[in-house]
Amino acid sequence: MRYFISISLAIILSILILPFSIIQAGEVENFTICSICEDAWYNYDGESSSYDADNVDWPINMLFYNNANVGKVMDIYWGGAWPASNMYLYCDDGGGWVVDSETGSKSGDILTPTRYHMRIYADDGYRMYNTSYGYYCIASIHKDVNEGLPYAEYGWSEDMEDYVCDYADNEGYTVYEDYSSYGNQIYEWQGNHYYQSNGYASAVNVT
Amino acid sequence: MSFSKRHILFSLVIITFISVLFNIPIFAQEEITVINSYGIYTLEMLGYEDVVFEQPSDFEKKDFHYCLPDGAKQGPEDWYLIHISYDVIVSKDSGTGSLLISSLSNDYSSAQIEVITEYNDNGALVTTWNTVDLVNDYLEYSSQGLRASGNFTNYMQTSGIRQGKSTLSFQLETFGDIKVEKVIISKDSGIEFTSVSPPHLDLEAECRTPNAGVGAPIILYFSLTNNGDLPAKDVVVTARTNDDHLLTDTTEFRYSSIEYKEKVDGTFTFYANEDKSCFIYIRASAHGSSNSPIATFTIPVNIESSSGQAWIPLLIAMPTILILVIALLAKIKP
């Protein structure tokens, strides 16, 4: 009997979680690298550890710099993310490319219809360093609407960038909207994903 | 006898006039050391003692002052580095969490030492800590006890270096249930002023097949020189393309170290399997390098040049083949 209950629970749980783990990849034409000092990263994150222009996830559109690290940025926003899939970003803090994987920070809980989801990336050690940005990490941000349901929709990264900037501004951080061009301008629907980016990343000075 | 307001005002004017005339300071001022010659300026030399934080709260910050001469800036001739000698004692009743020690110059960070407390497999609370700096990138340390100590050095953030009075801050932030007994930043910590530059990579690259053909090799040559004073460590030269129709065997060259003025070189070979132009970029990076140079190429690929190139070696080889065939026939003939 106990065995039957365990199996049933596992099946129900799998059915509930399954829609969250189905990931629709995007195709973009402006997949390229961004670079400053000795560091570099790609302008989109991706759905696997060997992604390319044909299976990107979202545009990179946030920079947290000066005295930032992944933990501090998650602390400013919504802590961890559940449920959430790992996504990947190629980045290089000098010394070669590495692939960082992150589930990110997500607003609300599983019952919240619209959730804001930011994945914050860095090389080893949750932060990168160069003499221009200091300690920094970079992020993609999007909105999950009715996540996991058949009529779910995802995206609106540009709107989310504005929201994240306003949020940081209200928390007392210095914000520079559309601080730097990351070359990832896109406004198009692909399936239930709305890719929306003006091609510029905003910067938040984390002290 | 009583002083009227007019008397006081008149006295103040006279005192101010005399002090300006003879350059006498009216109020006692903090003596601020000017960092104007190469060397390490410790906190002690700047007039301070050990910086001690006793049972720090979630956020604490202490400020100290130094002065930089006119025209001071970070690189390319002169460089400023932060040196920190730290000792962290975690409370015995601490939980798991982390402490972030930062050092900022004029509110621009150049040091992050992250101390983490966690339980090991035996259920004992242990301490690990890590740092990220320009030259060494990520370094991790551990101890079986509740103490974390060491030395940290880093090239300071460009925006934090400016002429005039400057503020050096040490900042503590705690996350989770960590409880810290004491943090000591030793008076040996300080700012180094030096002419020793971080590694600087100069990349030269050229395409030796400006008109490639389908299936024919596209050869990209590169040479890389370290023109910084320090050796460039973990150097990587990568060639990448976004074009699906390009094939290659080697996409990166790695060097454990490139010394001052040392030059390395190599070639990347690509093959196109479609007749359309292709985009390739070569990028060099290294731990501690102040830059990561990139060279980009857009190379036209066409069938005509491919077929033409394929016939050239055949035309050259034709007379040799003919002579060999004739010689062979002459030998076979009885």
Side-chain angles (χ1 to χ4, degrees):
Chain A
M1 183 64 181
R2 194 177 285 173
Y3 177 76
F4 176 74
I5 292 168
S6 305
I7 293 288
S8 307
L9 275 173
I11 290 167
I12 291 165
L13 214 73
S14 303
I15 290 166
L16 283 172
I17 299 294
L18 186 69
F20 294 98
S21 50
I22 295 171
I23 301 149
Q24 183 189 312
E27 286 182 33
V28 294
E29 289 178 356
N30 51 13
F31 181 66
T32 189
I33 63 166
C34 308
S35 178
I36 184 158
C37 297
E38 79 283 12
D39 300 344
W41 58 93
Y42 271 80
N43 61 350
Y44 287 85
D45 58 5
E47 68 151 9
S48 76
S49 57
S50 57
Y51 71 102
D52 57 22
D54 295 334
N55 54 353
V56 301
D57 194 37
W58 299 110
I60 298 297
N61 56 357
M62 288 303 302
L63 163 71
F64 297 92
Y65 74 102
N66 187 11
N67 198 23
N69 64 39
V70 173
K72 279 179 81 168
V73 175
M74 285 172 79
D75 220 47
I76 295 169
Y77 292 94
W78 315 291
W82 192 87
S85 314
N86 264 312
M87 289 294 161
Y88 303 85
L89 183 76
Y90 293 120
C91 48
D92 178 1
D93 193 15
W97 291 101
V98 298
V99 187
D100 185 34
S101 68
E102 290 292 335
T103 53
S105 180
K106 208 174 199 178
S107 70
D109 57 34
I110 197 163
L111 298 173
T112 312
T114 300
R115 303 179 72 184
Y116 309 145
H117 190 182
M118 180 159 56
R119 288 191 176 90
I120 309 136
Y121 298 96
D123 197 343
D124 304 328
Y126 303 112
R127 72 274 205 197
M128 301 193 277
Y129 181 82
N130 65 52
T131 53
S132 281
Y133 284 174
Y135 290 95
Y136 72 100
C137 39
I138 43 192
S140 70
I141 169 91
H142 67 276
K143 183 160 63 176
D144 298 328
V145 181
N146 301 314
E147 187 180 16
L149 298 173
Y151 48 93
E153 289 179 335
Y154 308 90
W156 297 275
S157 296
E158 193 60 41
D159 295 346
M160 286 296 89
E161 184 183 320
D162 292 342
Y163 176 82
V164 163
C165 288
D166 290 346
Y167 191 103
D169 190 31
N170 290 334
E171 292 286 313
Y173 295 96
T174 306
V175 174
Y176 300 95
E177 290 204 36
D178 295 334
Y179 174 74
S180 183
S181 173
Y182 282 10
N184 48 13
Q185 188 183 38
I186 186 167
Y187 293 94
E188 68 180 55
W189 280 93
Q190 292 184 22
N192 59 0
H193 282 44
Y194 179 52
Y195 288 88
Q196 180 203 40
S197 169
N198 67 0
Y200 287 83
S202 295
V204 177
N205 182 349
V206 179
T207 48
Chain B
M1 190 180 128
S2 64
F3 282 101
S4 67
K5 278 183 183 172
R6 188 181 292 178
H7 280 115
I8 294 167
L9 197 67
F10 181 72
S11 305
L12 279 173
V13 168
I14 292 294
I15 290 166
T16 309
F17 177 75
I18 291 167
S19 71
V20 168
L21 194 69
F22 297 102
N23 197 23
I24 302 165
I26 305 170
F27 304 107
Q29 285 184 335
E30 186 188 0
E31 285 253 340
I32 299 174
T33 306
V34 181
I35 297 177
N36 53 8
S37 60
Y38 293 143
I40 297 178
Y41 291 72
T42 62
L43 284 175
E44 190 175 22
M45 289 163 74
L46 297 175
Y48 302 104
E49 292 297 315
D50 286 347
V51 183
V52 181
F53 295 87
E54 299 267 9
Q55 295 176 336
S57 58
D58 290 352
F59 180 91
E60 291 206 14
K61 191 177 177 185
K62 291 187 179 181
D63 293 341
F64 305 89
H65 300 293
Y66 65 99
C67 192
L68 295 182
D70 288 353
K73 63 187 173 82
Q74 184 73 311
E77 303 300 327
D78 295 329
W79 298 87
Y80 296 86
L81 288 87
I82 183 79
H83 287 265
I84 300 175
S85 182
Y86 58 92
D87 189 10
V88 178
I89 302 161
V90 176
S91 299
K92 284 175 185 165
D93 60 343
S94 173
T96 57
S98 65
L99 162 76
L100 190 70
I101 305 169
S102 311
S103 173
L104 303 96
S105 173
N106 299 317
D107 287 330
Y108 289 94
S109 178
S110 300
Q112 276 194 1
I113 300 155
E114 186 187 36
V115 180
I116 300 163
T117 51
E118 56 197 352
Y119 292 104
N120 67 11
D121 294 341
N122 302 324
L125 194 70
V126 292
T127 312
T128 61
W129 64 103
N130 62 74
T131 59
V132 172
D133 69 82
L134 185 72
V135 174
N136 299 295
D137 197 22
Y138 179 72
L139 295 173
E140 198 170 35
Y141 310 88
S142 65
S143 77
Q144 288 305 308
L146 295 173
R147 200 160 187 161
S149 55
N151 297 302
F152 174 84
T153 301
N154 197 14
Y155 280 87
M156 292 166 76
Q157 202 180 145
T158 306
S159 305
I161 303 299
R162 61 176 184 226
Q163 65 185 45
K165 186 183 172 185
S166 293
T167 304
L168 176 67
S169 311
F170 294 101
Q171 179 176 300
L172 303 187
E173 292 164 273
T174 56
F175 304 91
D177 296 324
I178 192 170
K179 270 191 192 171
V180 178
E181 191 66 41
K182 194 188 271 189
V183 175
I184 303 164
I185 308 292
S186 159
K187 61 188 176 188
D188 295 337
S189 307
I191 293 168
E192 182 180 355
F193 180 37
T194 180
S195 62
V196 178
S197 64
H200 184 91
L201 301 175
D202 284 319
L203 175 72
E204 283 179 26
E206 62 172 303
C207 177
R208 292 188 171 169
T209 38
N211 291 299
V214 173
I218 300 165
I219 297 166
L220 298 165
Y221 166 84
F222 75 86
S223 71
L224 185 70
T225 310
N226 174 15
N227 285 318
D229 293 322
L230 292 177
K233 290 190 265 181
D234 300 321
V235 184
V236 188
V237 184
T238 51
R240 288 204 173 192
T241 176
N242 291 338
D243 298 320
D244 295 337
H245 66 286
L246 273 181
L247 306 169
T248 185
D249 296 329
T250 309
T251 55
E252 76 177 29
F253 286 82
R254 284 185 175 267
Y255 307 90
S256 59
S257 180
I258 300 179
E259 301 298 316
Y260 171 62
K261 294 291 179 193
E262 189 186 351
K263 186 177 178 180
V264 294
D265 54 25
T267 54
F268 293 101
T269 306
F270 285 85
Y271 299 89
N273 56 18
E274 275 181 47
D275 60 334
K276 58 182 185 182
S277 68
C278 57
F279 175 77
I280 302 169
Y281 68 84
I282 297 176
R283 175 173 173 267
S285 69
H287 279 155
S289 172
S290 57
N291 68 329
S292 63
I294 295 175
T296 59
F297 301 90
T298 303
I299 303 151
V301 179
N302 51 69
I303 291 171
E304 289 75 27
S305 64
S306 149
S307 53
Q309 278 183 358
W311 278 106
I312 292 166
L314 207 63
L315 282 170
I316 295 165
M318 196 67 88
T320 320
I321 294 165
L322 271 171
I323 291 163
L324 281 172
V325 169
I326 291 163
L328 202 69
L329 285 172
K331 213 172 183 182
I332 290 168
K333 243 182 183 177

